[in-house]
Amino acid sequence: MTTIFSGVKPTGHLTLGNYLGAVRQWVAAEQRPDEALFCVVDLHALTVEHDPARVRRLSRQAASLLLAAGLTPEKCTLFVQSHVDEHTRLSYLLECTASDGEMRRMVQYKEKAAKAQASGEGVRLSLLTYPALMAADILAYRADEVPVGEDQRQHVELTRDLAVRFNQRYGHTFTVPEATHPAVGARVMDLQDPTSKMGKSGDAGPGVVFILDEPEVVRKKVMRAVTDSGDDGVVYDRVARPGVANLLDVLAACTGGEPDKLADGYSGYGALKRDVADAVVELLRPVRERHARLAADPGAVEAVLREGAGRARAMARPVVDQAYRAIGLLEP
């Protein structure tokens, strides 16, 4: 049986990029006859300056959106990271397995540290070490597959390295996981800056489509998307024409087509943008409607998370206990 694990960080409202790059994969993954675990990784939100009340609010919203997107408690385990102590227990062991150099090579650390320094903020130690916690999130469940967006590939590679190293030093304990990605839509770019990822942690600018945006807001953002200069029509070229390529990637991910073939059907940007806007609105409509119903019954969502945490704890504890014994710690 294959075990699947992935998580979402409550640092901002979930975006179209999150949905196409990760969440929709998760919904498809839970349909397989496997063990699927999905987690709101709230501890990762503490690595940068944050508002505690906002983290709690976004954690609840993220869980509700995952259910609205189609995850079902009968087919998967949905829980909040901080509700399962095994994540932090294992994280320290993996910090003792990783090297300082490995942590400092993480692209997200470099980018976020530079941003914090530029704004006059200090760089928290947890920003450097949180890839070990992310590895613990995965390895505690002996996950085989980690469906993630393209930007998380480096972290999964580190997780693989740590699992192999721990197993070689202390005896076989962890499964070495694989990252999986969708064929298209794995990395949706900002509509106003198609060289940057559409990120939920940034400002609520016109280039970011949020899952809960009203249809008219979605249409306005898509219609104002940056395209590229050129008189050769609509061409799919991620390097030379990143704006148009991003729109075609989004359309392909929404409709199931192929970006380069879709390009052949357009002679101008206006029609392409209208079709992208229509596709995104229709894709997100049922998610928004289900989320509204779930938001009206927060107790039901909390019950799902409590049950999920109990199941996750029962799965992770034997693995982490084994890791403690393997590394040389006395049993209590």
Side-chain angles (χ1 to χ4, degrees):
M1 184 174 68
T2 299
T3 298
I4 299 165
F5 178 94
S6 201
V8 61
K9 185 164 54 175
T11 51
H13 301 288
L14 296 185
T15 70
L16 174 67
N18 298 131
Y19 183 72
L20 293 178
V23 176
R24 197 167 62 166
Q25 288 187 83
W26 302 358
V27 175
E30 75 161 11
Q31 303 304 317
R32 295 159 49 185
D34 300 323
E35 186 72 56
L37 301 104
F38 304 110
C39 182
V40 178
V41 287
D42 53 344
L43 295 175
H44 293 307
L46 311 185
T47 60
V48 295
E49 190 67 28
H50 64 277
D51 173 29
R54 186 170 186 266
V55 171
R56 284 191 290 270
R57 184 172 64 254
L58 290 176
S59 295
R60 294 189 188 98
Q61 184 187 88
S64 298
L65 275 172
L66 294 180
L67 292 170
L71 292 183
T72 54
E74 296 79 15
K75 295 181 179 179
C76 72
T77 300
L78 176 63
F79 65 104
V80 175
Q81 179 190 34
S82 62
H83 295 176
V84 181
D85 293 343
E86 279 64 33
H87 291 247
T88 50
R89 287 181 62 207
L90 182 55
S91 178
Y92 182 71
L93 300 194
L94 296 177
E95 287 182 21
C96 295
T97 307
S99 70
D100 175 76
E102 285 175 314
M103 296 298 185
R104 294 188 186 278
R105 284 194 294 272
M106 294 291 104
V107 172
Q108 289 200 17
Y109 168 72
K110 294 178 181 178
E111 294 176 347
K112 292 181 180 180
K115 184 177 179 180
Q117 290 170 340
S119 63
E121 299 175 4
V123 180
R124 301 186 181 193
L125 178 61
S126 57
L127 184 62
L128 177 65
T129 61
Y130 95 89
L133 176 57
M134 181 175 175
D137 299 337
I138 298 166
L139 298 181
Y141 301 97
R142 294 199 172 111
D144 301 285
E145 296 180 11
V146 187
V148 291
E150 183 65 29
D151 60 313
Q152 292 297 325
R153 181 186 294 273
Q154 188 184 34
H155 284 150
V156 179
E157 287 301 316
L158 175 65
T159 300
R160 289 171 51 83
D161 291 343
L162 296 180
V164 169
R165 189 177 307 152
F166 192 100
N167 289 345
Q168 290 175 341
R169 289 179 179 175
Y170 308 115
H172 185 78
T173 305
F174 302 121
T175 297
V176 181
E178 294 279 354
T180 59
H181 310 278
V184 293
R187 190 173 176 85
V188 177
M189 312 307 282
D190 189 290
L191 296 178
Q192 291 297 313
D193 179 10
T195 63
S196 300
K197 185 187 72 167
M198 184 182 286
K200 64 181 182 295
S201 300
D203 59 21
V208 180
V209 175
F210 296 103
I211 294 176
L212 294 179
D213 276 345
E214 295 291 337
E216 59 270 22
V217 174
V218 173
R219 293 184 190 280
K220 182 181 293 186
K221 290 179 177 180
V222 174
M223 294 306 295
R224 293 181 178 178
V226 168
T227 49
D228 316 287
S229 60
D231 54 8
D232 53 348
V234 177
V235 178
Y236 183 72
D237 186 331
R238 287 186 174 182
V239 176
R241 310 284 290 278
V244 174
N246 188 39
L247 290 173
L248 289 166
D249 277 336
V250 171
L251 183 60
C254 291
T255 63
E258 298 179 24
D260 53 345
K261 293 182 180 179
L262 288 171
D264 296 336
Y266 297 95
S267 58
Y269 299 146
L272 171 61
K273 288 181 177 181
R274 286 191 292 273
D275 284 355
V276 172
D278 288 343
V280 172
V281 167
E282 290 309 309
L283 181 75
L284 298 182
R285 187 188 304 280
V287 181
R288 291 178 56 253
E289 292 173 350
R290 288 192 292 266
H291 177 267
R293 293 194 293 270
L294 288 166
D297 187 10
V301 177
E302 291 172 3
V304 169
L305 295 177
R306 282 195 301 271
E307 182 179 351
R311 292 204 300 264
R313 199 175 297 118
M315 291 179 63
R317 184 165 294 167
V319 179
V320 178
D321 285 349
Q322 180 182 341
Y324 267 57
R325 292 191 297 271
I327 206 170
L329 300 178
L330 288 173
E331 296 187 42

